Amino acid sequence: MRISKRFAGAISAAVFALMATSAMAEGEKIVIGTEGAYPPFNNLEADGTLTGFDIDIAKALCEEMKADCTFVTQDWDGIIPALIAKKFDAIIASMSITPERKEKVDFTNKYYNTGPAIVVPKDSTLTEATEAALEGKTLGAQGSTTHSNYAEAHMSKSELKLYPTSEEYKLDIANGRIDGVIDDIVVLSEWLKTEDGACCKLLGALPIDPVINGEGAGIAVRKGDDALREKFNAAIDAIRANGKYKEINDKYFGFDVYGG
């Protein structure tokens, strides 16, 4: 029987909570928080291992910094409060750098940047990913994300239904309970390639709203933890320069996910 991500995350957090301290010196321990429910970026597998682009990038950064890193899974809604509460030292979980989040945490430079998109059932009669076309339709999104914020701002004529994880909205659209979903274009495109995603099709990409979508995905650290933030920034630059980033990128994507 597969253990729930929420329960696994609680156990992991309890085990590693006392380990969470600021990493200032080479070889010091860094505890990294991630969601584990956002493939292909991060996912908690049935055997309890974490996989995905975020995880591989995090491991590469830790290797570059010569740091001893461990991972904690945490539900998305509580991931920033858990960082502030020192349950871990950094968040590497496809978190967009936005002005609202900058009020609570500090961010590194981006480590990738992709935009939002809309997916609908294959038998949908919708032909455009626009506010007018989606008027009166029920649109699913993961709560407390830039994508739910985007839908609230730009899809106001739709009924927005929020979910704790992306897995739950995928179940609802596959079973015909909602008319469409909004999420990162890479997450949706990769899902459509799977058996579970056979229900649906990409309706279209959406224009990036810099205020809502932010500057890309960055690594969040506690306010004032400048030493750790700069260590991560230097490591991001290093793996971009030495080819390690491209190696990880090409494992998951057929284009440079780093973006412009």
Side-chain angles (χ1 to χ4, degrees):
M1 179 177 179
R2 181 171 178 169
I3 187 169
S4 73
K5 292 183 175 69
R6 186 181 299 272
F7 183 60
I11 293 173
S12 297
V15 171
F16 292 112
L18 296 177
M19 297 172 60
T21 56
S22 294
M24 301 296 180
E26 182 178 300
E28 193 165 354
K29 296 185 188 316
I30 301 174
V31 183
I32 296 170
T34 194
E35 184 187 14
Y38 198 58
F41 291 103
N42 59 79
N43 196 49
L44 185 64
E45 303 294 343
D47 63 359
T49 60
L50 280 164
T51 60
F53 178 79
D54 288 333
I55 307 306
D56 287 357
I57 288 291
K59 289 177 178 178
L61 295 175
C62 291
E63 183 178 354
E64 183 65 34
M65 295 186 294
K66 297 180 173 60
D68 179 10
C69 294
T70 52
F71 292 87
V72 172
T73 54
Q74 171 71 48
D75 287 348
W76 183 256
D77 285 351
I79 204 165
I80 286 180
L83 172 66
I84 294 170
K86 299 186 178 181
K87 290 184 177 179
F88 33 81
D89 302 303
I91 298 170
I92 303 183
S94 293
M95 180 170 282
S96 296
I97 304 165
T98 66
E100 181 182 5
R101 289 175 179 150
K102 281 182 176 180
E103 293 177 2
K104 300 175 182 177
V105 297
D106 288 339
F107 281 98
T108 64
N109 300 332
K110 72 171 185 177
Y111 64 95
Y112 82 85
N113 191 13
T114 54
I118 299 283
V119 155
V120 295
K122 278 188 175 175
D123 61 0
S124 173
T125 58
L126 291 168
T127 58
E128 294 181 338
T130 63
E131 183 176 24
L134 289 160
E135 181 175 357
K137 303 297 183 183
T138 302
L139 195 61
Q142 183 176 0
S144 303
T145 64
T146 55
H147 305 298
S148 61
N149 294 340
Y150 189 103
E152 289 172 351
H154 297 291
M155 301 291 168
S156 60
K157 296 179 180 179
S158 301
E159 179 185 345
L160 183 60
K161 186 172 182 181
L162 300 179
Y163 298 83
T165 71
S166 62
E167 297 306 311
E168 287 158 293
Y169 76 56
K170 290 172 183 175
L171 286 173
D172 266 11
I173 193 170
N175 288 288
R177 289 189 282 266
I178 54 178
D179 301 303
V181 297
I182 179 171
D183 208 328
D184 184 276
I185 191 169
V186 174
V187 170
L188 293 174
S189 297
E190 292 300 307
W191 173 56
L192 293 178
K193 295 176 185 177
T194 69
E195 184 177 347
D196 289 341
C199 61
C200 301
K201 64 184 179 182
L202 187 70
L203 181 62
L206 297 166
I208 290 176
D209 182 331
V211 175
I212 295 174
N213 298 118
E215 308 160 27
I219 300 167
V221 299
R222 283 184 290 279
K223 280 284 187 182
D225 201 347
D226 297 334
L228 182 56
R229 178 173 55 83
E230 289 309 317
K231 272 191 167 188
F232 273 121
N233 276 335
I236 291 169
D237 290 342
I239 66 170
R240 287 283 292 168
N242 66 21
K244 186 62 178 180
Y245 185 98
K246 185 177 187 306
E247 178 186 325
I248 297 169
N249 181 101
D250 293 352
K251 174 181 174 181
Y252 293 95
F253 313 114
F255 61 96
D256 186 1
V257 78
Y258 187 77

